[in-house]
Amino acid sequence: MSSFQFNLLSQDPGSRARRGRLQLCHGAVETPVFMPVGTRATVTGMTTDEMQALGAEIVLANTYHLLLRPGPELFRRVGGIHPFMGWDRPVLTDSGGYQIFSLSADRMIREEGAKFRSYVDQRYHLLSPEKSIEMQTAIGSDIMMVLDECVDSTAPESVTRAAMERTHRWALRSLAARTNPAQALFGIVQGGVVPALRRESADFLCQQPFDGLAIGGLAVGDTRAQREDTTAFAAELLPADRPRYLMGVGTPPDLLVAIGCGVDMFDCILPTHLASQGTAFTGTGRVRVTRSAYNSCDEPLDASCTCMVCRKHSRAYLGHLIRCREPLGPRLISRHNFHHYLTLMRDARQAIEDGVYASWAKNKLAQIDRHEHAAPRA
């Protein structure tokens, strides 16, 4: 029997934002939630103890990468990803569809599945809906995703429709391949930025017994306005009694807008990806610590932040680490970025509970300039 439950706890009166709780095999997850990306069974540069201390309740791992290395046999032997990576809280696994999309030169998609060349040993593999579910079952994730065909969000409508319809057929095959009812399974709504296709996709998938539904295929060629409009339109089509997951979209403004549309779950590589370049997220926008203006700056990344990094280290020091390519630099900025994201989610949940999310989010968005700071204060 499935241990999956989703309960709605409160609704913001001034928006579609909602506060909920997911009950999964490895514990409860409060929503709205941001899921740090741990692609290869690790959140880059972070230990599981650090992630738990920051308050992360669920992380994301990737089926495509874990299929290639270390492979399903190891996961079966050790009892899944949780003991393997030393993480006792929930895990969601992506199906590998986006990675297949990104390998345009080394893959061939057909009805059976996606044939691609491994970056590990150059051998060819076939990732089918059944193979994806088999791998996710071996991984032992709390939430599995169906294999979908992802295309550029602004591709011609005929291309977008064909990919959407194949995604639907693969979704049914994924349902049929599921063997462990304790693992939740989410469908993925596709359709690019075409409202009629998004509606058709949502109508089809809502009729299937998925535990939750995701909005896929965004942040792959669309503009910010297109992304926000499509998110709002698609979220409203999804049933209120199931969680809604916006895949791979995740700047702080993206999250604030999507929460207001009724989305519950998010993931994105930006906290670690931009940290490796020396960029931090703050309450008033992004800070790139390698700018020459910060070479002698004694200020923290964010004066209002309570994280260990902001309490102990200056922008000058962090910029020095990044320029010297010291591994500690990206680690510290990643830690700050996750603190920023997870605190934003906690504050959003509280604002929904208090019935003030619409005004709270408006003020937050006004404070975030979405750009780097011009110069440090004197």
Side-chain angles (χ1 to χ4, degrees):
M1 292 293 293
S2 174
S3 60
F4 177 87
Q5 289 184 15
F6 177 63
N7 297 307
L8 279 177
L9 305 178
S10 55
Q11 175 85 42
D12 178 58
S15 70
R16 300 188 68 241
R18 57 206 214 141
R19 168 84 171 86
R21 180 175 297 124
L22 284 165
Q23 187 63 49
L24 303 168
C25 292
H26 289 86
V29 174
E30 306 297 327
T31 66
V33 63
F34 178 79
M35 301 179 287
V37 176
T39 300
R40 297 176 176 86
T42 175
V43 178
T44 301
M46 305 290 293
T47 68
T48 53
D49 286 346
E50 287 173 324
M51 295 309 301
Q52 288 195 6
L54 287 167
E57 295 179 334
I58 179 172
V59 298
L60 180 145
N62 184 266
T63 301
Y64 164 80
H65 290 287
L66 296 178
L67 170 67
L68 299 181
R69 187 168 48 198
E73 293 77 14
L74 183 142
F75 285 110
R76 294 190 185 105
R77 180 175 64 80
V78 303
I81 194 171
H82 294 87
F84 183 57
M85 67 181 288
W87 174 259
D88 61 4
R89 297 181 182 182
V91 173
L92 180 147
T93 39
D94 193 359
S95 64
Y98 177 77
Q99 284 66 38
I100 297 299
F101 161 73
S102 66
L103 294 171
S104 57
D106 287 310
R107 53 93 167 139
M108 180 173 63
I109 297 177
R110 54 196 182 199
E111 193 63 25
E112 184 182 1
K115 185 178 181 181
F116 64 94
R117 187 191 297 270
S118 166
Y119 65 87
V120 175
D121 57 16
Q122 302 304 306
R123 291 190 301 169
Y124 276 97
H125 294 257
L126 178 70
L127 185 62
S128 65
E130 294 80 8
K131 183 72 172 180
S132 178
I133 293 298
E134 178 187 356
M135 182 61 201
Q136 292 180 80
T137 303
I139 292 170
S141 52
D142 297 72
I143 299 175
M144 305 184 293
M145 303 301 299
V146 301
L147 184 65
D148 60 331
E149 182 178 358
C150 183
V151 297
D152 190 299
S153 58
T154 58
E157 186 169 339
S158 60
V159 173
T160 303
R161 170 173 285 282
M164 178 196 75
E165 292 176 346
R166 177 170 282 157
T167 292
H168 294 171
R169 295 191 295 272
W170 283 1
L172 296 180
R173 287 167 57 186
S174 297
L175 276 169
R178 180 185 186 182
T179 58
N180 183 2
Q183 292 176 274
L185 181 61
F186 283 22
I188 303 176
V189 174
Q190 289 287 1
V193 294
V194 183
L197 295 183
R198 287 286 176 177
R199 182 181 296 279
E200 185 176 338
S201 187
D203 287 347
F204 177 84
L205 293 171
C206 287
Q207 296 175 40
Q208 313 305 324
F210 289 112
D211 298 293
L213 292 162
I215 301 168
L218 291 178
V220 282
D222 42 273
T223 66
R224 179 176 178 80
Q226 288 174 317
R227 187 159 62 249
E228 291 182 356
D229 289 347
T230 302
T231 298
F233 181 80
E236 196 164 4
L237 300 173
L238 302 182
D241 62 349
R242 287 187 261 183
R244 304 162 180 161
Y245 167 26
L246 180 59
M247 302 182 74
V249 177
T251 67
D254 283 334
L255 269 57
L256 292 172
V257 172
I259 289 171
C261 297
V263 176
D264 308 297
M265 303 168 65
F266 305 90
D267 79 280
C268 192
I269 64 169
L270 286 180
T272 52
H273 179 70
L274 290 186
S276 69
Q277 302 170 14
T279 295
F281 293 94
T282 79
T284 53
R286 300 183 193 185
V287 173
R288 184 184 284 270
V289 297
T290 53
R291 296 187 62 179
S292 59
Y294 298 128
N295 287 354
S296 301
C297 180
D298 297 329
E299 295 180 13
L301 291 171
D302 188 340
S304 63
C305 181
T306 61
C307 81
M308 174 275 287
V309 181
C310 288
R311 292 199 312 269
K312 290 190 173 184
H313 302 299
S314 67
R315 295 182 183 183
Y317 178 65
L318 295 168
H320 164 72
L321 294 178
I322 296 292
R323 281 188 291 271
C324 294
R325 298 185 179 179
E326 284 289 340
L328 183 60
R331 268 180 46 78
L332 289 175
I333 299 176
S334 292
R335 182 164 183 157
H336 162 81
N337 284 346
F338 282 126
H339 181 275
H340 179 79
Y341 269 67
L342 296 170
T343 299
L344 189 68
M345 293 295 99
R346 282 192 292 271
D347 291 348
R349 293 194 292 268
Q350 188 62 55
I352 296 169
E353 289 181 18
D354 295 341
V356 297
Y357 181 81
S359 58
W360 175 84
K362 182 178 179 181
N363 289 335
K364 276 285 181 185
L365 285 166
Q367 294 167 16
I368 300 173
D369 59 17
R370 310 179 193 182
H371 303 288
E372 299 170 2
H373 286 270
R377 293 191 300 273

